[in-house]
Amino acid sequence: MEIEKSIIATKQAFEKSFSSGDFYNKQTQDKQHLKAILDFLPIKSGMKILDLGTGSGYLSFPIAENFSDIFITGLDIVDKTLEANRMKAEKEGIRNIEFTAYDGVSFPFEDNEFDMVISRYALHHFPAIQKSISEVSRVLKSGGFLFISDPAPNADDASRFVDEYMQLKKDGHIKFYTKDEWKQICTEAGLKFVKSFDSSIRFPKKKDSAYRFDELLKKHDKNIIESYKLEILGNEIYITEQVNNVLFCKQ
């Protein structure tokens, strides 16, 4: 029941976020990071790729446009955004892409269906992360790849300030994982670490949606807060988060 409630909260929050357009894009888009991901991914001709937590198709569309001989499926829980993505694909004549809705837990695909699963800035919202990664492993072919790009807590953030900060906005944030935590989760699902690179994101949040922000600042060590380079500019709060970009392979 708690998992279902979390998924509903995430879905409702992202319906609102995606409809806000420019501010959501300001939070998540980064052309340099996108290029780094596209250069990093081991995409080959004929691949079938699943974009897990696709959102507005930030990874799906450029991959489909740059690799016309692959087929990519964007999977998400936010129906309105998926429909907007379908309309965009139709308008732009992109034929090697589709968008599918699901319940947030079980993937609506057969075993061994995909050559690669990718996910950017989504998995920290997943309430049953081990189940989701097991589903990734199930739908991957032997030798297939999983690519995860997701923020991480700073090394000295033992009190997990960053998770409490992200949870100030009620959008279903669960947890940022360290690289070692990802390795453990993925190993249990039969996925082997291949390689990684690090990046960062300067993340803005509307102060009027950050409930109990002042209380949070008093609760955590000043040095931990300063490690995220927290800055308030008008009605926006900025922190800098480290990002894990990790590639795994199904054994």
Side-chain angles (χ1 to χ4, degrees):
M1 190 56 134
E2 290 303 316
I3 290 175
E4 183 180 350
K5 286 182 179 178
S6 179
I7 292 170
I8 291 172
T10 301
K11 182 176 181 178
Q12 291 174 341
F14 274 90
E15 284 176 347
K16 184 176 181 180
S17 292
F18 290 138
S19 66
S20 69
D22 289 345
F23 188 72
Y24 175 76
N25 293 339
K26 183 179 178 181
Q27 287 178 303
T28 60
Q29 293 191 3
D30 180 338
K31 290 182 179 179
Q32 184 176 353
H33 186 223
L34 177 60
K35 184 180 184 305
I37 290 173
L38 295 179
D39 290 343
F40 183 79
L41 292 176
I43 298 175
K44 296 181 180 178
S45 177
M47 273 188 164
K48 190 173 182 181
I49 298 174
L50 175 65
D51 182 9
L52 177 59
T54 187
S56 58
Y58 187 69
L59 288 184
S60 291
F61 280 110
I63 289 175
E65 291 166 356
N66 288 318
F67 302 93
S68 59
D69 56 351
I70 64 94
F71 191 86
I72 187 161
T73 299
L75 183 66
D76 210 296
I77 62 174
V78 187
D79 301 273
K80 291 180 180 178
T81 303
L82 295 175
E83 183 58 33
N85 291 347
R86 295 184 192 109
M87 292 173 65
K88 177 181 176 180
E90 180 69 23
K91 181 179 179 180
E92 298 182 6
I94 304 172
R95 305 301 181 196
N96 58 329
I97 195 170
E98 68 178 6
F99 293 96
T100 301
Y102 82 124
D103 63 7
V105 179
S106 300
F107 296 3
F109 306 112
E110 300 294 329
D111 295 355
N112 311 308
E113 188 167 338
F114 294 94
D115 300 286
M116 187 185 302
V117 177
I118 60 177
S119 185
R120 177 182 183 266
Y121 296 176
L123 293 178
H124 54 273
H125 291 286
F126 283 41
I129 192 62
Q130 192 66 63
K131 166 64 175 174
S132 293
I133 299 302
S134 294
E135 280 289 272
V136 167
S137 183
R138 179 184 67 80
V139 302
L140 271 177
K141 298 176 183 177
S142 179
F145 295 98
L146 165 63
F147 171 73
I148 296 170
S149 178
D150 214 45
N154 285 355
D156 56 353
D157 188 5
S159 63
R160 292 289 180 135
F161 159 79
V162 72
D163 286 325
E164 287 197 59
Y165 171 79
M166 295 300 292
Q167 288 163 357
L168 292 177
K169 181 181 179 183
K170 305 304 180 183
D171 65 354
H173 174 91
I174 303 296
K175 178 182 178 181
F176 286 148
Y177 298 89
T178 66
K179 193 175 298 181
D180 285 341
E181 286 174 326
W182 279 126
K183 288 179 180 179
Q184 180 178 350
I185 291 166
C186 290
T187 296
E188 290 182 14
L191 303 169
K192 181 180 180 181
F193 171 78
V194 177
K195 60 180 180 176
S196 67
F197 73 92
D198 297 328
S199 59
S200 65
I201 177 175
R202 186 73 172 151
F203 185 83
K205 182 192 293 289
K206 293 287 188 182
K207 191 175 181 182
D208 55 17
S209 71
Y211 309 108
R212 303 190 315 279
F213 173 65
D214 292 333
E215 294 177 27
L216 185 65
L217 295 184
K218 295 175 183 178
K219 178 180 177 180
H220 290 270
D221 185 274
K222 182 179 178 181
N223 291 331
I224 291 175
I225 296 171
E226 289 179 348
S227 74
Y228 288 98
K229 301 178 182 177
L230 188 147
E231 184 179 17
I232 301 174
L233 298 173
N235 188 42
E236 293 181 0
I237 308 167
Y238 287 81
I239 65 171
T240 297
E241 299 167 349
Q242 301 306 305
V243 178
N244 287 319
N245 302 274
V246 196
L247 187 70
F248 295 91
C249 182
K250 183 175 178 179
Q251 301 181 59

